[in-house]
Amino acid sequence: MAKRRGNQTHHQNEDKQQLQQEADHLADERIAEKKVVDKIVYWIIGILVLLVVVIGLLGFNYVHSSLQPYDQHDHKTVVVKVPEGATNKQIGAILAQENIIKSPMIFNYYVKSHNFPAFQTGFYNLKPSMSLAEVTKKLADGGSQTSKYRVLVKEGATVEQVGNAVAKATHFSKKQFLALMKDQTFMRHLAKKYPKLLSSSMAQSGVRYHLEGYLYPATYDYYQGMSLKELVTNMVTKTDLVMQPYYQKIAEKDLTVQKVLTLASLVEREGNTSKDRGKIAGVFFNRIDAGMPLQSDISVMYALNTHKKHLYNKDLAVKSPYNLYKNKGYGPGPFNNPSKDSIQAVVNPTDRDKNYLYFVADLKTGKVYYSQTFDQHTNTNSGIQTRNNDVN
């Protein structure tokens, strides 16, 4: 019995030792695992700290860079328009698009943090070499109500001459302008926008330029970033504004805008005063009613696409639908862009009841003489030439 108890005790001791060894082994494993976990945590914390530092440095550099000029070596002036009602975010986007600032977001935060009042509508002369502080100061000072660049469309200017004016005042070439004048997609877009104004022009075949006569004589602001289509649309919009009071009367007279502007373009160049323009318009209507060609030298020069002091018989015989010596009626369309005064003269012609069919101007005195018959016209013209020769 004693021997059996001794064996049991021995086995129990061995079991205890084995359990202790297993416990120690588990403890060692836990310690090892904890060390690994601790290392991973330290690494994660280190990476996160590093990321925070890097992001902080990048953010600082981004903000610092955004405060600097877009290009400190670029001193060219860019005219920027701040539209009415534009927010700081919208203004920032415009400035970034024009390469004046680097970040619209930083611009917005900078303006808010410095408590700038709302920036005024207008044109601002800015440079890529300006810092953000200089740009915002310029904006805070207020802009001008007109742009630095202005396109002048003179009364009686043709599309070709308007192209010269556009090329002179903007970075667009005359070739680009004339190409737009032939862009039928653009023409249809404008006709859809202004149907009362342009429907009769678009319906007319054989037209050299559908916008001849529709680019109203005025001065137009041009600013950096404005497209050529926007500039031309402004001209057409102005014409529509001028024509608004006449649309109903034109329809009542069974005329079209194309016919009115065609006669107005002739009246523009043939007469110098409102009184004469009204009478000349009356002469043109009388000739049309009588089935006579208008016989205007302006039409021949347009057909020839040139300007001459003197026209010869071969010039008067030029084959062109615009030659109103050979062709009766109004022709395809306007010969230039007339003024409001000439448009009014056509809508309200004068002295039609006097049945004048001819007129001639004394180029030295500017006086215009009107006749009912060709003989009267010939005698008047001869008298003018004789008087002028005597003076010479």
Side-chain angles (χ1 to χ4, degrees), residues 80 82 119-125 138-146:
V80 177
V82 172
F119 296 128
Q120 298 177 10
T121 301
F123 295 89
Y124 294 82
N125 296 326
K138 270 283 204 180
L139 292 172
D141 290 341
S144 67
Q145 295 307 305
T146 58

Side-chain angles (χ1 to χ4, degrees), residues 44-266:
I44 292 174
I45 293 173
I47 292 171
L48 290 175
V49 170
L50 182 62
L51 284 174
V52 170
V53 172
V54 170
I55 291 172
L57 289 173
L58 290 175
F60 174 80
N61 288 335
Y62 177 75
V63 173
H64 179 73
S65 175
S66 298
L67 296 174
Q68 306 308 309
Y70 183 88
D71 184 350
Q72 63 180 346
H73 303 295
D74 190 349
H75 299 283
K76 69 181 179 184
T77 298
V78 178
V79 181
V80 177
K81 182 182 180 181
V82 172
E84 186 175 357
T87 64
N88 290 336
K89 286 184 178 180
Q90 291 170 331
I91 295 172
I94 293 171
L95 294 173
Q97 186 177 5
E98 297 295 338
N99 296 333
I100 298 298
I101 63 172
K102 295 180 178 180
S103 170
M105 181 180 67
I106 299 301
F107 170 83
N108 188 36
Y109 285 134
Y110 185 88
V111 171
K112 285 183 179 180
S113 64
H114 286 74
N115 296 319
F116 281 104
F119 296 128
Q120 298 177 10
T121 301
F123 295 89
Y124 294 82
N125 296 326
L126 304 173
K127 299 178 180 179
S129 58
M130 290 180 172
S131 66
L132 188 59
E134 291 173 320
V135 170
T136 51
K137 184 179 183 305
K138 270 283 204 180
L139 292 172
D141 290 341
S144 67
Q145 295 307 305
T146 58
S147 67
K148 180 180 178 181
Y149 307 103
R150 312 189 80 189
V151 179
L152 173 62
V153 177
K154 294 182 178 180
E155 296 178 346
T158 65
V159 159
E160 300 270 348
Q161 291 168 330
V162 175
N164 291 333
V166 169
K168 182 179 179 181
T170 74
H171 69 275
F172 300 112
S173 67
K174 182 179 180 180
K175 183 178 179 180
Q176 288 175 305
F177 177 81
L178 294 181
L180 184 61
M181 294 297 101
K182 294 286 189 179
D183 186 335
Q184 293 305 302
T185 301
F186 180 55
M187 295 301 114
R188 286 191 292 271
H189 167 75
L190 288 176
K192 185 176 181 181
K193 188 174 183 180
Y194 302 108
K196 289 184 178 180
L197 179 69
L198 290 170
S199 59
S200 57
S201 174
M202 293 302 292
Q204 181 66 49
S205 60
V207 177
R208 185 180 296 173
Y209 299 112
H210 280 292
L211 291 186
E212 188 76 85
Y214 296 85
L215 306 176
Y216 191 77
T219 301
Y220 298 91
D221 287 320
Y222 168 77
Y223 55 89
Q224 195 75 18
M226 175 185 276
S227 70
L228 185 55
K229 288 182 178 180
E230 288 176 311
L231 179 61
V232 171
T233 299
N234 288 343
M235 298 177 186
V236 177
T237 302
K238 178 66 174 177
T239 304
D240 181 65
L241 185 64
V242 170
M243 293 299 296
Q244 292 266 353
Y246 307 119
Y247 286 139
Q248 184 175 346
K249 195 166 186 179
I250 290 171
E252 290 172 354
K253 289 191 171 190
D254 198 26
L255 292 169
T256 65
V257 173
Q258 184 81 339
K259 289 179 179 179
V260 169
L261 291 180
T262 296
L263 290 189
S265 68
L266 295 177

Side-chain angles (χ1 to χ4, degrees), residues 9 32 49 157 164 184 188 225 234-235 238 266 268 301 339 368 374 376 387 390:
T9 302
V49 170
N164 291 333
Q184 293 305 302
R188 286 191 292 271
N234 288 343
M235 298 177 186
K238 178 66 174 177
L266 295 177
E268 180 71 36
M301 285 186 281
S339 64
V368 182
F374 182 71
Q376 291 174 346
R387 286 195 300 273
D390 290 342

